[in-house]
Amino acid sequence: MGRSALDAYSNGDVWWDTEISSIKKNEIIVRGYPIEELIGTLSYSQMLYLLLCGEVLSEKKARLLESVLVAGADHGPRAPSIAAARMAATCGISFNSCVATGINVLGDVHGGAAEKAMTLFYKTNGILEADPKRSFNEVIGEQLDLLEQNGEKLAGIGHQLHDDDPRIRRLYALAQTLVEEGEISGAYLKMAEEFRRQLEERKKRKMTMNVDGVAAAIQCELAIPAESAKGIFALSRGMGIVAHAFEELQNRVLIKGPCPNRDDLVRYSGPELRHLDKQD
């Protein structure tokens, strides 16, 4: 007779091992802090960072992280995640399912640029820390060479719509203030800009930073793990997804497809009309 999952833990091992929270009757401890001390004291971004990284961000750093969340909150129905949520809202499913539909569209392609950029920035910084004699510009050039050899694009650069994204200017301005005040080093912001500059030099045309690029640099400045970036973006874009899905619900439109019902917008490229052979 097979052993139950519980039998396997009879030697004293625990089922779940977490450093995040301890929940007992009438007691909730988060990263060592009683929840009642956090409620009304920490901001949303401070609570997010505490849960994820284990420490309480200073108010200035927390406002910078919150600015990243605000910047990515919405980009209209052009964004696939927003469009998917709105389309789902016309199909009669529950509201939370509409929101989940939008969130589930986020991944490596749509919503994953910040993670890719952060991974690259951390890797580049690791190389520089391992050999401080290496030239900053040279190491960045080598990383661009590797991306080119692997047929990969530099994440965080370029946008299909914006060539002077207002979010970028504002985020850089906010971050630069914290650099001047000594709250953050500015090393990753400098790195992101050097990647953009060198790519522009190679391409011989204007290359603009996008919101994912500057968001990646800021999150690196705050020592946020790259692997968490898509989750953080989901929390950010989730605000817009909720708003758009709710708005579409109020419109009471039913079954709104991914494109208008026009023959010129959908092309059939399969076999010509054919029929099954008649059976004897």
Side-chain angles (χ1 to χ4, degrees), residues 86 89-90 243-253 256:
R86 294 193 73 123
T90 72
H244 279 273
F246 183 74
E247 181 180 62
E248 195 62 53
L249 274 179
Q250 307 314 299
N251 292 338
R252 302 189 183 282
V253 176
K256 190 171 185 177

Side-chain angles (χ1 to χ4, degrees), residues 87-244:
M87 189 169 65
T90 72
C91 296
I93 61 177
S94 65
F95 183 65
N96 62 299
S97 295
C98 299
V99 174
T101 298
I103 294 293
N104 285 336
V105 173
L106 300 174
D108 288 340
V109 176
H110 174 40
E115 179 180 335
K116 292 177 183 176
M118 289 174 71
T119 300
L120 176 63
F121 295 162
Y122 281 139
K123 175 186 175 184
T124 303
N125 187 63
I127 294 170
L128 291 166
E129 286 185 343
D131 189 355
K133 295 181 180 179
R134 294 288 307 276
S135 162
F136 178 76
N137 291 355
E138 178 187 1
V139 172
I140 288 177
E142 288 178 355
Q143 294 307 305
L144 285 174
D145 289 340
L146 285 173
L147 288 174
E148 188 175 330
Q149 290 168 17
N150 295 329
E152 299 176 20
K153 292 184 178 180
L154 176 59
I157 301 295
H159 197 282
Q160 61 180 356
L161 179 63
H162 305 298
D163 58 13
D164 186 19
D165 192 331
R167 298 172 295 181
I168 310 307
R169 295 195 304 272
R170 180 59 175 160
L171 287 173
Y172 258 111
L174 292 170
Q176 189 57 41
T177 298
L178 265 65
V179 173
E180 294 168 359
E181 294 176 352
E183 287 281 330
I184 59 177
S185 71
Y188 287 104
L189 291 161
K190 179 183 176 184
M191 183 184 294
E193 173 56 25
E194 182 59 22
F195 267 109
R196 186 208 64 78
R197 188 197 68 77
Q198 287 198 28
L199 185 65
E200 182 174 87
E201 193 174 79
R202 292 178 181 219
K203 298 290 187 181
K204 301 189 185 309
R205 58 186 173 87
K206 183 180 179 182
M207 303 298 296
T208 58
M209 186 80 65
N210 62 37
V211 71
D212 297 307
V214 67
I218 288 173
Q219 288 177 87
C220 286
E221 294 283 351
L222 300 175
I224 291 173
E227 297 83 356
S228 68
K230 281 200 289 287
I232 291 174
F233 182 70
L235 294 176
S236 169
R237 182 54 56 83
M239 291 186 278
I241 288 172
V242 166
H244 279 273

Side-chain angles (χ1 to χ4, degrees), residues 14-27:
V14 296
W15 194 280
W16 299 114
D17 187 354
T18 176
E19 297 180 3
I20 298 172
S21 57
S22 173
I23 313 299
K24 299 176 182 177
K25 184 176 181 179
N26 300 329
E27 179 184 77

